[in-house]
Amino acid sequence: MIAWMNWTPSVVIFFSVIAAILAVMTVFEIVSPCTERKGFLPIETTRGDRLFIGLLSAAYIHLTFLAVSDISLWVALGVSVLWLMILLRWG
Protein backbone atom coordinates (compact mmCIF):
# COMPACT_ATOMS: atom_id res chain seq x y z
CA MET A 1 0.00 0.00 0.00
CA ILE A 2 2.81 2.46 0.81
CA ALA A 3 5.53 0.93 -1.34
CA TRP A 4 4.89 3.27 -4.26
CA MET A 5 6.20 6.19 -2.16
CA ASN A 6 9.04 4.18 -0.63
CA TRP A 7 8.03 5.22 2.90
CA THR A 8 9.56 3.58 5.92
CA PRO A 9 7.30 2.36 8.73
CA SER A 10 8.45 5.18 11.02
CA VAL A 11 7.42 7.81 8.45
CA VAL A 12 4.01 6.18 8.14
CA ILE A 13 3.64 6.19 11.92
CA PHE A 14 4.72 9.85 12.10
CA PHE A 15 2.16 11.05 9.57
CA SER A 16 -0.53 8.77 11.00
CA VAL A 17 -0.02 10.31 14.45
CA ILE A 18 -0.23 13.82 12.98
CA ALA A 19 -3.45 12.88 11.16
CA ALA A 20 -4.88 11.37 14.36
CA ILE A 21 -4.01 14.51 16.35
CA LEU A 22 -5.75 16.67 13.74
CA ALA A 23 -8.82 14.40 13.76
CA VAL A 24 -9.06 14.47 17.56
CA MET A 25 -8.63 18.26 17.64
CA THR A 26 -11.35 18.64 14.99
CA VAL A 27 -13.81 16.52 16.97
CA PHE A 28 -12.85 18.33 20.19
CA GLU A 29 -13.46 21.70 18.50
CA ILE A 30 -16.89 20.58 17.24
CA VAL A 31 -17.90 19.22 20.66
CA SER A 32 -16.42 22.08 22.69
CA PRO A 33 -15.74 25.23 20.65
CA CYS A 34 -12.98 27.36 22.09
CA THR A 35 -12.41 31.07 22.29
CA GLU A 36 -9.15 32.90 21.93
CA ARG A 37 -7.17 33.32 25.12
CA LYS A 38 -3.92 34.86 26.21
CA GLY A 39 -1.37 32.65 27.94
CA PHE A 40 2.39 33.07 28.10
CA LEU A 41 2.55 33.51 24.31
CA PRO A 42 2.57 37.17 23.27
CA ILE A 43 -0.60 36.74 21.17
CA GLU A 44 -4.15 35.54 21.74
CA THR A 45 -4.44 31.98 20.45
CA THR A 46 -6.96 29.19 19.99
CA ARG A 47 -6.30 25.48 20.54
CA GLY A 48 -5.54 25.05 16.86
CA ASP A 49 -3.09 27.94 16.88
CA ARG A 50 -1.23 26.44 19.83
CA LEU A 51 -1.19 23.01 18.16
CA PHE A 52 0.29 24.50 14.99
CA ILE A 53 2.90 26.46 16.95
CA GLY A 54 3.72 23.31 18.93
CA LEU A 55 4.15 21.14 15.83
CA LEU A 56 6.27 23.78 14.14
CA SER A 57 8.47 24.24 17.19
CA ALA A 58 8.81 20.43 17.51
CA ALA A 59 10.31 20.39 14.03
CA TYR A 60 12.82 23.05 15.09
CA ILE A 61 13.62 21.15 18.30
CA HIS A 62 14.42 18.04 16.25
CA LEU A 63 16.50 20.00 13.74
CA THR A 64 18.42 21.61 16.59
CA PHE A 65 19.15 18.22 18.14
CA LEU A 66 20.38 16.96 14.76
CA ALA A 67 22.56 20.02 14.21
CA VAL A 68 24.25 20.44 17.56
CA SER A 69 24.40 17.05 19.27
CA ASP A 70 24.74 13.31 18.87
CA ILE A 71 21.98 12.65 21.39
CA SER A 72 19.27 10.24 20.30
CA LEU A 73 16.23 11.73 18.63
CA TRP A 74 14.10 9.94 21.23
CA VAL A 75 15.28 12.64 23.65
CA ALA A 76 14.20 15.29 21.14
CA LEU A 77 10.83 13.57 20.88
CA GLY A 78 10.45 13.66 24.66
CA VAL A 79 11.37 17.35 24.76
CA SER A 80 8.94 18.06 21.91
CA VAL A 81 6.04 16.23 23.56
CA LEU A 82 6.71 17.98 26.87
CA TRP A 83 6.87 21.34 25.09
CA LEU A 84 3.62 20.62 23.22
CA MET A 85 1.82 19.70 26.45
CA ILE A 86 3.04 22.89 28.15
CA LEU A 87 2.12 24.99 25.12
CA LEU A 88 -1.37 23.52 24.81
CA ARG A 89 -2.08 23.96 28.51
CA TRP A 90 -0.55 27.34 29.35
CA GLY A 91 0.35 28.88 25.98
Side-chain angles (χ1 to χ4, degrees):
M1 179 172 82
I2 61 170
W4 67 275
M5 287 190 68
N6 209 13
W7 282 17
T8 62
S10 36
V11 172
V12 172
I13 291 169
F14 174 78
F15 284 109
S16 298
V17 168
I18 297 295
I21 289 171
L22 291 173
V24 167
M25 289 292 284
T26 301
V27 170
F28 190 42
E29 185 65 30
I30 291 170
V31 170
S32 173
C34 73
T35 58
E36 289 186 350
R37 70 175 174 88
K38 182 125 169 68
F40 65 81
L41 293 173
I43 56 174
E44 290 188 359
T45 58
T46 64
R47 273 185 232 127
D49 296 334
R50 291 187 298 276
L51 176 66
F52 177 75
I53 292 168
L55 292 174
L56 189 62
S57 58
Y60 284 111
I61 289 168
H62 279 80
L63 288 173
T64 302
F65 267 72
L66 284 172
V68 300
S69 73
D70 290 331
I71 298 174
S72 170
L73 285 181
W74 289 108
V75 176
L77 177 64
V79 171
S80 296
V81 169
L82 180 65
W83 169 245
L84 184 60
M85 290 189 310
I86 291 169
L87 189 62
L88 287 175
R89 176 66 182 102
W90 294 292

